[in-house]
């Protein structure tokens, strides 16, 4: 029997689903699983027990809040797909703003008719079994987690910072060029695409386990303004543990 | 509350609601329930150099045009004049995106409508060669974006003034070969979609695209329509109005009080004379003639564009393979407001930003292709349903969704 898989998207850019389609794995996925619920990919979708449900996107509407609870009830394993699901994603920047004013700026006098919840990471709403991080995810992480799950293995966590990926690519260090970079505290395994393209890491995968956060902040204070440090961590994973605390008195 | 199922095989979350009484369509609505991420609000207060990357997060399906429109708007705001080479590389990125994204929409999302199957798994089971062709096309399109932008989904190193890192001449030579290798797949895609039966329907409307005076629409230019509009992009507010609808988180766009159409069909209707040679040749053998007023022909226009933009990518890559050089990135010379326009797969995209003297964004406004198409979609729905009023409700629903899907809508983008 093929594993029964569901893929759900909440409010987001759907780029992580595009990364799934971009995976070299896509042939094997299409041939090897049964999609019982996959709105983006098929017309007929069913609510039955899912062996694995992937949830992409942020919970912004009350519809989505109810939906994720329903998905949890139907799923043996729930995987949070991408940093919107794992950490609230880019839209959660508005958690740190005056939300009324933020809505008024976009919708004017109709602002009150638009519902936007305080954006919580998915693991704060339902039990999440695994997280595939990143904005966007890298296809290799998806391939690894899927192969592990379907082989009955527990997917392993990356334990090294982005710096290790960056070093292995032979990139010049951004911090040594006095460019604020989140690499030392960010969950690695992405292959460091940003420093490899000449830009700093902006922490899209959230923190690795037990990062040297205070050392990183001390270092950044020497080369960047307080506002720029806050901007660095309040970007693609603004509600991630530790990242969400950057700002205020701690700087 | 949990809504019933949303329309499948489109980007984002929405429903089509219609009501028929006494043999007449009394209501046809496009309800968009995508959550509002409030991009325009949270981009305020960000540094201008962060904004192109952040703006691309509006859409993971078409990140490149967002990135490009944002960069161009910021350059206009800050008085930066990009070099010809930079503009060529940007057109190359947009061409790569078009190839990659049109293939995704046609094979993964729209094909099921035409092939009489329910979705991607069934397409894969019954038409494995088509899926493999799609993968080949998309792989090269992605590689093109990645080569210049650093990453296929959400480009990294394209920034105001140019690129944080440039590809090499060898890279350009190689990617030109890669695009050449898929040109036949692109042609086959056009022939496949030209052979598929498309519902008969016609409703004349206004088509809008950008015109840089030289190229088939891609990067920068004036806003032009088939009904005589020809204005600088920065004047967009005088012509395109946003209207709030109580049933939609996306604001609806109107021009002179009516709907208008952006996207592949608009570009081909307006600028088919600027298509590259192979695409032009295919158009001659096409059973469907353009300009067309059947919105469902947008899919065939997309298939034609895959060929055109692949040829465009080859042309640019071959030229840069011999003359690409390192350049100094021009620096900001002023603060102020700027507008940027680019063609996304789904149509004309407008970004506008105001940047202060410290390089911080103070104001942002984004007009998204699917937002522009919303009113036109509703007008089409009325007409399409009225023309097929005697069909059973379930069939009407399918037809309405097929029309909606043919627009290649992106509700994530539209709501942002």
């Amino acid at each position: 029997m093929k594993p029964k898989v569901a893929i759900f998207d909440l409010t987001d850019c759907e780029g992580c689903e595009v990364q799934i389609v971009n995976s070299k794995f896509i042939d094997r996925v299409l041939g090897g699983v049964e999609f019982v619920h996959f709105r983006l990919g098929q017309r007929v979708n069913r609510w039955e027990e899912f062996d694995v449900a992937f949830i992409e996107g942020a919970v912004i509407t009350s519809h989505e809040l109810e939906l994720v609870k329903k998905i949890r009830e139907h799923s043996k394993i729930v995987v949070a797909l991408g940093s919107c699901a794992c950490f609230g994603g880019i839209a959660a920047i508005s958690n740190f703003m005056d939300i009324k004013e933020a809505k008024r700026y976009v919708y004017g006098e109709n602002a009150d008719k638009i519902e936007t919840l305080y954006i919580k990471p998915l693991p704060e709403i339902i039990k999440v079994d695994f997280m595939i991080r990143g904005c966007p995810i890298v296809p290799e992480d998806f391939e690894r987690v899927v192969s592990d799950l379907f082989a009955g293995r527990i997917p392993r966590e990356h334990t090294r910072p982005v710096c290790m990926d960056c070093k292995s690519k032979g990139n010049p260090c951004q911090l040594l060029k006095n460019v604020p970079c989140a690499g030392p505290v960010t969950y690695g395994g992405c292959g460091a695409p940003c420093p490899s393209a000449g830009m700093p890491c902006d922490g899209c995968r959230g923190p690795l386990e037990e990062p040297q956060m205070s050392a990183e902040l001390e270092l950044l204070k020497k080369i960047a303004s307080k506002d720029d440090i806050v901007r660095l961590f309040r970007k693609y994973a603004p509600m991630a543990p530790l990242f969400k605390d950057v700002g205020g008195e701690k700087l | 509350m949990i809504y019933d199922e949303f329309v499948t095989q489109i980007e984002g979350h929405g429903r089509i609601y219609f009501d028929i009484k006494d043999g007449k369509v009394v209501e046809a609505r496009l309800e968009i329930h995508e959550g509002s991420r409030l991009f325009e609000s949270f981009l305020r207060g960000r540094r201008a150099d962060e904004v192109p990357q952040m703006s691309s997060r509006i859409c993971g399906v078409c990140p490149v045009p967002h990135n490009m429109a944002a960069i161009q708007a910021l350059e206009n705001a800050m008085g930066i004049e990009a070099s010809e080479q930079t503009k060529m590389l940007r057109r190359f990125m947009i061409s790569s995106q078009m190839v990659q994204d049109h293939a995704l929409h046609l094979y993964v999302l729209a094909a099921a409508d035409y092939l009489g199957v329910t979705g991607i798994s069934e397409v894969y089971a019954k038409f494995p060669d088509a899926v493999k062709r799609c993968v080949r096309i998309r792989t090269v399109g992605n590689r093109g974006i990645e080569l210049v932008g650093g990453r296929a989904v959400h480009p990294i190193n394209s920034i105001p003034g140019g690129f944080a890192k440039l590809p090499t001449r060898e890279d350009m030579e190689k990617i030109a070969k890669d695009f050449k290798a898929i040109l036949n797949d692109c042609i086959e895609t056009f022939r496949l979609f030209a052979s598929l039966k498309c519902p008969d329907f016609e409703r004349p409307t206004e088509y809008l695209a950008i015109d840089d005076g030289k190229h088939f629409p891609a990067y920068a230019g004036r806003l032009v329509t088939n009904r005589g509009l020809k204005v600088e992009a920065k004047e967009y507010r005088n012509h395109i109005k946003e209207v709030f609808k109580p049933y939609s988180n996306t604001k609806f766009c109107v021009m002179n009080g009516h709907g208008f159409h952006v996207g592949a069909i608009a570009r081909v209707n307006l600028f088919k004379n600027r298509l590259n040679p192979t695409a032009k040749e295919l158009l001659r053998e096409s059973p469907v003639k353009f300009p067309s007023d059947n919105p469902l022909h947008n899919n065939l226009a997309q298939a034609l564009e895959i060929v055109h933009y692949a040829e465009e990518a080859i042309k640019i890559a071959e030229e840069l393979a011999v003359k690409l050089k390192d350049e100094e990135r021009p620096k900001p010379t002023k603060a102020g407001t700027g507008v940027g326009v680019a063609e996304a797969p789904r149509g004309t995209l407008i970004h506008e930003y105001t940047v202060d003297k410290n390089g911080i964004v103070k104001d942002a406004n984004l007009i998204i292709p699917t937002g522009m198409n919303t009113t036109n979609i509703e007008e089409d729905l009325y007409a399409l349903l009225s023309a097929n009023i005697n069909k059973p409700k379930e069939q009407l629903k399918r037809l309405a969704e097929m029309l909606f899907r043919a627009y290649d809508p992106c509700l994530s983008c539209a709501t942002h």
Side-chain angles (χ1 to χ4, degrees):
Chain A
M1 268 252 294
K2 289 178 179 178
K4 290 181 188 294
V5 173
I7 301 180
F8 289 92
D9 41 53
L10 311 175
T11 292
D12 65 351
C13 78
E14 299 186 7
C16 293
E17 278 174 286
V18 174
Q19 287 287 63
I20 293 179
V21 181
N22 288 348
S23 163
K24 293 181 194 74
F25 221 50
I26 188 66
D27 274 33
R28 282 163 66 191
V29 172
L30 284 173
V33 308
E34 184 194 351
F35 286 117
V36 279
H37 208 299
F38 182 19
R39 184 196 61 83
L40 191 61
Q42 63 194 26
R43 192 174 74 237
V44 181
N45 295 296
R46 308 188 303 277
W47 281 96
E48 51 187 64
E49 184 169 76
F50 312 133
D51 290 313
V52 184
F54 294 90
I55 303 180
E56 181 206 54
V59 175
I60 296 191
T61 64
S62 49
H63 158 77
E64 290 167 338
L65 186 61
E66 294 307 312
L67 180 66
V68 296
K69 291 174 187 164
K70 185 172 169 184
I71 297 168
R72 180 69 263 185
E73 284 167 16
H74 283 78
S75 310
K76 289 186 195 160
I77 294 169
V78 169
V79 179
L81 187 70
S83 287
C84 289
C86 297
F87 308 119
I90 191 167
I93 296 172
S94 63
N95 283 355
F96 300 87
M97 297 164 57
D98 174 349
I99 190 69
K100 273 195 162 166
E101 165 56 21
K103 282 202 281 190
R104 191 206 55 78
Y105 184 69
V106 177
Y107 290 100
E109 59 187 16
N110 297 299
D112 292 345
K113 297 172 190 140
I114 301 295
E115 179 194 41
T116 53
L117 303 177
Y118 181 84
I119 299 171
K120 286 183 184 171
L122 196 57
E124 291 179 24
I125 303 170
I126 57 169
K127 180 174 172 280
V128 167
D129 299 286
F130 298 100
M131 297 203 289
I132 303 180
R133 301 143 180 258
C135 182
I137 63 160
V138 290
E140 292 75 18
D141 266 350
F142 173 76
E143 290 160 13
R144 186 176 57 88
V145 168
V146 168
S147 335
D148 281 349
L149 288 178
F150 294 144
R153 293 190 297 263
I154 296 170
R156 293 214 338 236
E157 296 283 348
H158 291 292
T159 54
R160 294 165 161 191
V162 171
C163 290
M164 298 300 281
D165 298 67
C166 192
K167 284 280 160 287
S168 73
K169 289 276 169 79
N171 298 321
C173 177
Q174 295 283 329
L175 283 164
L176 288 176
K177 292 193 285 181
N178 289 339
V179 177
C181 180
V185 291
T186 300
Y187 189 95
C190 56
C194 299
S196 303
M199 301 291 276
C201 166
D202 40 27
C204 78
R205 290 160 72 85
L208 76 154
E209 208 181 335
E210 297 183 11
Q212 301 289 320
M213 201 66 195
S214 51
E216 164 83 355
L217 292 177
E218 281 309 311
L219 186 67
L220 290 177
K221 271 192 244 178
K222 291 179 192 152
I223 58 171
S225 71
K226 180 179 159 177
D227 285 348
D228 277 342
I229 298 172
V230 173
R231 286 189 193 107
L232 180 63
F233 291 102
R234 202 170 284 170
K235 204 180 247 184
Y236 305 122
M239 294 298 285
L242 298 171
F243 286 14
K244 68 176 182 216
D245 302 325
V246 173
E249 288 168 15
K250 290 196 173 172
L251 281 179
Chain B
M1 65 170 283
I2 295 196
Y3 291 109
D4 297 340
E5 296 297 323
F6 293 121
V7 178
T8 61
Q9 294 137 299
I10 59 160
E11 283 104 23
H13 305 89
R15 298 190 305 176
I16 292 166
Y17 172 85
F18 60 89
D19 194 15
I20 292 169
K21 279 203 182 87
D22 306 325
K24 268 189 79 172
V25 182
V26 291
E27 179 109 68
R29 287 201 304 248
L30 177 60
E31 300 181 351
I32 302 178
H33 296 292
E34 189 76 17
S36 300
R37 290 175 291 168
L38 306 172
F39 264 85
E40 283 127 327
S41 289
F42 68 68
L43 288 176
R44 289 190 300 168
R46 304 301 301 208
R47 280 197 329 269
D49 61 282
E50 298 178 290
V51 167
Q53 280 191 37
M54 293 177 76
S55 294
S56 91
R57 263 72 180 185
I58 291 167
C59 186
V61 184
C62 59
V64 172
H66 283 288
N67 183 256
M68 299 283 112
I71 289 172
Q72 191 191 119
L74 293 162
E75 287 179 346
N76 289 336
M78 299 190 292
I80 298 171
E81 181 60 46
S83 72
E84 274 313 306
Q85 175 175 298
T86 296
K87 287 178 190 163
M88 278 177 84
L89 285 165
R90 289 175 184 167
R91 281 210 324 279
F92 177 81
M93 280 178 74
I94 288 177
S95 300
S96 302
Q97 173 88 84
M98 292 284 191
V99 169
Q100 174 265 34
D101 190 32
H102 280 346
L104 178 76
H105 182 252
L106 289 173
Y107 285 102
V108 180
L109 305 180
D113 280 330
Y114 293 93
L115 300 173
V117 297
T118 56
I120 181 62
S121 300
E122 219 182 324
V123 174
Y124 181 72
K126 292 186 177 159
F127 307 93
D129 291 344
V131 173
K132 281 180 190 143
R133 189 188 305 136
C134 168
V135 170
R136 286 196 296 270
I137 294 172
R138 294 194 69 255
T139 301
V140 172
N142 278 336
R143 199 178 293 153
I145 304 170
E146 199 177 319
L147 178 69
V148 180
R151 181 167 57 198
V153 177
H154 303 321
I156 300 159
N157 66 351
S158 40
I159 51 178
F163 294 88
K165 195 174 167 184
L166 282 173
T168 64
R169 290 183 184 183
E170 292 71 36
D171 290 335
M172 297 314 291
E173 194 181 331
K174 186 164 180 311
I175 195 74
K177 282 189 189 139
D178 290 343
F179 270 105
K180 274 186 185 163
I182 58 154
L183 195 55
N184 203 42
D185 283 328
C186 299
I187 294 168
E188 285 305 309
T189 302
F190 177 78
R191 293 207 166 116
L192 170 66
F193 278 83
S195 74
L196 298 173
K197 176 100 187 71
C198 176
D200 286 329
F201 173 66
E202 207 164 84
R203 189 183 73 85
T205 188
E206 190 157 4
Y207 298 96
L208 180 137
I210 57 173
D211 178 12
D212 71 355
K214 191 174 174 197
H215 304 95
F216 188 80
Y219 177 78
R222 293 198 282 187
L223 303 175
V224 299
T225 73
N226 57 324
R227 293 186 184 165
L229 182 81
K230 199 169 210 175
V231 296
E232 295 300 322
K234 65 183 176 199
E235 291 169 37
Y236 76 93
R237 283 177 196 260
N238 297 335
H239 303 276
I240 298 169
K241 305 283 179 210
E242 287 186 306
V243 184
F244 181 81
K245 304 262 182 179
Y247 51 80
S248 168
N249 284 357
T250 297
K251 289 178 275 184
F252 278 45
C253 288
V254 289
M255 205 159 48
N256 304 319
H258 61 75
F260 59 103
H261 199 161
V262 296
I265 191 172
R267 292 187 289 258
V268 174
N269 278 352
L270 285 160
F271 293 105
K272 60 176 182 161
N273 293 335
R274 292 187 194 168
L275 287 165
N276 280 317
T278 312
K280 239 182 215 167
E281 188 66 42
L282 288 170
L283 196 54
R284 271 193 283 276
E285 69 175 61
S286 165
V288 170
K289 300 298 165 206
F290 289 90
S292 162
D293 281 322
N294 182 349
L296 291 135
H297 287 157
N298 187 54
N299 287 148
L300 189 59
Q302 288 176 305
L304 186 66
E305 281 192 343
I306 291 187
V307 178
H308 164 79
Y309 286 112
E311 290 181 278
E312 191 70 10
I314 294 168
K315 214 159 68 180
I316 298 170
E318 285 187 334
E319 196 176 333
L320 291 177
V322 289
K323 66 175 212 193
L324 189 90
K325 59 178 194 303
D326 275 338
E327 293 180 330
E328 187 100 352
R329 278 204 305 275
K331 299 261 183 308
T333 57
K334 68 178 183 78
T337 299
V339 173
V341 289
E343 286 291 333
R346 294 153 191 88
T348 307
L349 168 66
I350 306 174
H351 281 221
E352 179 179 23
Y353 301 102
T354 300
V355 184
D356 75 5
K357 61 179 180 2
N358 298 316
I360 303 295
V361 169
K362 290 293 171 190
D363 271 308
N365 194 36
L366 311 166
I367 308 284
I368 309 285
T370 299
M372 295 201 215
N373 279 336
T374 43
T375 306
N376 208 65
I377 293 170
E378 281 193 349
E379 290 170 356
D380 273 348
L381 280 173
Y382 265 104
L384 181 72
L385 293 168
S386 301
N388 292 277
I389 198 85
N390 295 322
K391 293 197 171 131
K393 180 132 191 181
E394 189 51 33
Q395 222 172 313
L396 284 181
K397 180 171 174 274
R398 287 282 303 281
L399 194 58
E401 291 187 358
M402 186 173 178
L403 168 81
F404 184 32
R405 199 170 291 118
Y407 272 81
D408 189 9
C410 181
L411 309 182
S412 315
C413 275
T415 309
H416 60 281

